[in-house]
Amino acid sequence: MLLLVGGCHRDRGQPPRADDAITIDPQPSILAVPVEVELANLSRLIEREVPARLFSIDKPDQECVGSKRVDLGIATLKTPTIKCRIVGSVTRGNVALAGQGEAIRVTIPLRAVIRAEDIGGVFKRETATADAVVTAVVRMTFSDDWTPRGTVKLDYAWTDAPHIEFLGQRIEFADQADQALAPILARLERELPKEVGKLGLREAIDDAWRSAFTTVSLNRENPEAWMRVTPRELRYGGYTVAGGRLRLNIGLRAITETYVGSAPPAPAPVPLPPLRPLETSVGQLSFFIPVFADYRVLEPVLMKALRKRSLRPFDIPGFKPVRARFDSVEIYGTANGRIAVGLTFAALEAGRNKPTSGTVWMTGKPVTSPDSRAVGFEDFAVSGTTDMTGGDLILDLANAPGVASMIAGLLAQNFENDYAKLIGKVDRAISNKREDRVVIRADLKRARTGQLQAAGRGLYLPVWAEGTASITVVR
């Protein structure tokens, strides 16, 4: 019976080589794109627009001390009104910025130095100082074309109102200072929203958009694998202010495509699309990882194991113990999603002088359970022979109990190791990956696997990975 089966296998010969292409469906992702600017830039812009000396005061013939009635007991006297000249100036200190949430708080300290001169022709000069704080709360919005707009709520208060003590009276100069300060406050209300537009946010957003059209290496070799990122739209989810920085919460909706082999060209950027609201969390990365067990890598592994096994004789029903010498192994993908294994070896039965030799071809269909990396083979058995000399002993050996399962087990075990190694390499490759001016930070959270296939280039397991990711543009 074995000889009859062997004869049929001999007629079939070597299985055909497969050259099927691997097609990979694009995966949609929403990547976080943190666009940040230093708020110190806004401080510098405000200081450039608001002069250090805000205004001067020069008001002659002012009533410094009003007339009073003084009861002397025998008569009542009325003191004269004392006139004076009020002069001075108000200057600002360094602009300070802080923020929390979406509120940008701008603080401008004011310092007033006011003098009362020529006081009734009696005293030459009395000087008063005062401090005030102007506080502006700025909030931002964006138009559909990503142009930033600001709204401002302005307030100020004297922490020590300008005054002097004269002849037992407190003379207030806050009204005069307030009158001079009013146009400055009105100017700040007009100019602060414009200064927000000068922070370069629109330019930074456009730069991030264009730079995100990129290709990233997932694996450098065995096999080369690349992820191409093609942005489709930007979505805006507000902003936060912290640590002296303004960060926009932006989600980049992109198509991530995986390529095996040579690096694909980076996609051509298109103009920045209109703003759309962000309705989901950002940082969701989905992409495809093709896990390969390259046949060239599998061949020496299998050869080493077979030579180790050949140190012991093989038991073949109906034969005396048989010794085998394995010379080479060839593995490739064949038709119908099967793997072909060609074993070239010589076999010699105990007590005989002349060995038989040739190549025995075995085929089987690799299989996996859903979302599992455990590899198995269906119908792994001898399918044909080539270059047979000296009889059918090598065919009998290949059909001996346990030989086919041994070979299938060695292939499955090595592929499991390849999967673990590649997932680790990909995780490290994209955890902090820089391509030109783009830095991609990603963290793989979970992966699911598809059905194992025997492709032309190797055993192939489709793996869909998910995690968190962000794209930062180095400016």
Side-chain angles (χ1 to χ4, degrees):
M1 179 66 71
L2 285 173
L3 291 175
L4 289 173
V5 173
C8 294
H9 291 318
R10 183 186 294 118
D11 291 339
R12 293 182 185 178
Q14 180 176 351
R17 287 182 179 272
D19 192 24
D20 52 326
I22 297 170
T23 58
I24 302 168
D25 294 331
Q27 304 293 308
S29 300
I30 299 181
L31 290 78
V33 185
V35 176
E36 295 185 348
V37 295
E38 293 281 354
L39 284 179
N41 296 337
L42 183 58
S43 298
R44 288 189 286 269
L45 287 169
I46 294 172
E47 290 183 345
R48 188 177 66 198
E49 291 296 323
V50 180
R53 184 183 178 90
L54 294 176
F55 58 85
S56 299
I57 300 173
D58 189 351
K59 294 185 176 294
D61 201 30
Q62 299 293 303
E63 183 179 308
C64 287
V65 181
S67 174
K68 297 180 64 176
R69 291 182 176 276
V70 180
D71 188 356
L72 300 178
I74 58 174
T76 300
L77 296 179
K78 185 178 181 180
T79 62
T81 298
I82 299 177
K83 301 284 187 176
C84 66
R85 181 184 183 185
I86 297 175
V87 297
S89 63
V90 176
T91 58
R92 65 157 179 82
N94 293 329
V95 175
L97 280 173
Q100 185 174 9
E102 293 192 346
I104 307 171
R105 187 174 297 275
V106 183
T107 302
I108 306 176
L110 303 181
R111 178 75 168 176
V113 178
I114 300 177
R115 300 186 304 276
E117 296 184 343
D118 302 327
I119 306 172
V122 179
F123 295 99
K124 185 175 182 180
R125 176 180 299 172
E126 288 288 341
T127 301
T129 59
D131 295 296
V133 175
V134 176
T135 302
V137 177
V138 182
R139 296 181 184 273
M140 285 197 323
T141 58
F142 284 87
S143 60
D144 289 345
D145 67 350
W146 295 92
T147 299
R149 305 181 187 279
T151 59
V152 61
K153 183 178 180 182
L154 199 64
D155 194 13
Y156 84 98
W158 294 101
T159 56
D160 180 19
H163 70 279
I164 59 174
E165 299 289 339
F166 180 67
L167 297 180
Q169 296 188 56
R170 178 184 174 97
I171 304 174
E172 297 277 0
F173 299 123
D175 289 343
Q176 291 90 336
D178 289 344
Q179 292 175 15
L181 192 58
I184 299 297
L185 297 178
R187 179 183 175 187
L188 283 174
E189 285 183 326
R190 292 192 309 270
E191 298 299 328
L192 274 179
K194 297 179 182 178
E195 299 310 311
V196 170
K198 298 176 183 177
L199 284 174
L201 282 169
R202 175 63 168 76
E203 292 78 5
I205 293 168
D206 189 68
D207 193 21
W209 166 258
R210 291 183 173 274
S211 299
F213 289 79
T214 187
T215 298
V216 180
S217 171
L218 295 178
N219 193 44
R220 288 295 182 188
E221 57 185 4
N222 296 329
E224 284 186 82
W226 305 84
M227 180 175 67
R228 185 164 72 173
V229 181
T230 305
R232 288 289 187 258
E233 61 187 18
L234 279 184
R235 293 180 176 265
Y236 174 63
Y239 67 92
T240 55
V241 179
R245 300 178 68 86
L246 186 149
R247 169 178 284 200
L248 299 179
N249 183 28
I250 293 180
L252 174 73
R253 184 177 177 274
I255 297 298
T256 51
E257 301 169 278
T258 304
Y259 292 82
V260 180
S262 301
V270 299
L272 181 67
L275 179 149
R276 300 190 65 178
L278 182 65
E279 299 172 348
T280 185
S281 59
V282 297
Q284 300 172 359
L285 174 66
S286 300
F287 62 96
F288 179 88
I289 308 172
V291 181
F292 276 88
D294 192 290
Y295 296 127
R296 293 170 299 177
V297 176
L298 294 177
E299 288 170 352
V301 174
L302 182 56
M303 189 66 185
K304 180 180 178 181
L306 289 172
R307 284 177 173 168
K308 182 178 180 181
R309 174 62 184 86
S310 68
L311 297 177
R312 307 190 317 272
F314 289 86
D315 293 326
I316 303 175
F319 291 85
K320 296 179 180 179
V322 175
R323 291 282 183 177
R325 185 191 74 246
F326 291 93
D327 297 320
S328 64
V329 171
E330 185 176 6
I331 306 175
Y332 57 84
T334 186
N336 302 319
R338 300 172 70 85
I339 184 175
V341 180
L343 305 177
T344 300
F345 64 101
L348 180 64
E349 184 183 8
R352 294 190 179 259
N353 296 322
K354 187 177 181 179
T356 62
S357 62
T359 301
V360 176
W361 292 97
M362 311 176 79
T363 62
K365 184 177 180 61
V367 293
T368 50
S369 300
D371 203 22
S372 171
R373 302 191 303 271
V375 179
F377 287 88
E378 291 180 347
D379 304 325
F380 197 89
V382 174
S383 64
T385 61
T386 54
D387 304 323
M388 291 279 287
T389 61
D392 292 317
L393 182 58
I394 62 168
L395 182 59
D396 297 330
L397 188 150
N399 279 301
V403 172
S405 60
M406 175 190 69
I407 295 173
L410 291 170
L411 294 173
Q413 180 181 4
N414 195 72
F415 183 74
E416 174 76 14
N417 295 336
D418 282 358
Y419 175 89
K421 289 178 182 178
L422 183 58
I423 290 294
K425 284 195 292 184
V426 170
D427 196 3
R428 291 189 297 272
I430 63 175
S431 61
N432 197 347
K433 184 70 178 178
R434 178 164 181 165
E435 297 287 344
D436 296 326
R437 297 172 55 243
V438 176
V439 177
I440 295 182
R441 297 178 176 87
D443 183 18
L444 297 185
K445 298 295 185 183
R446 55 194 167 271
R448 61 183 178 87
T449 59
Q451 173 61 50
L452 183 69
Q453 302 174 40
R457 295 193 54 189
L459 276 175
Y460 156 64
L461 182 69
V463 179
W464 292 268
E466 296 178 355
T468 59
S470 66
I471 292 181
T472 303
V473 178
V474 181
R475 308 190 70 193

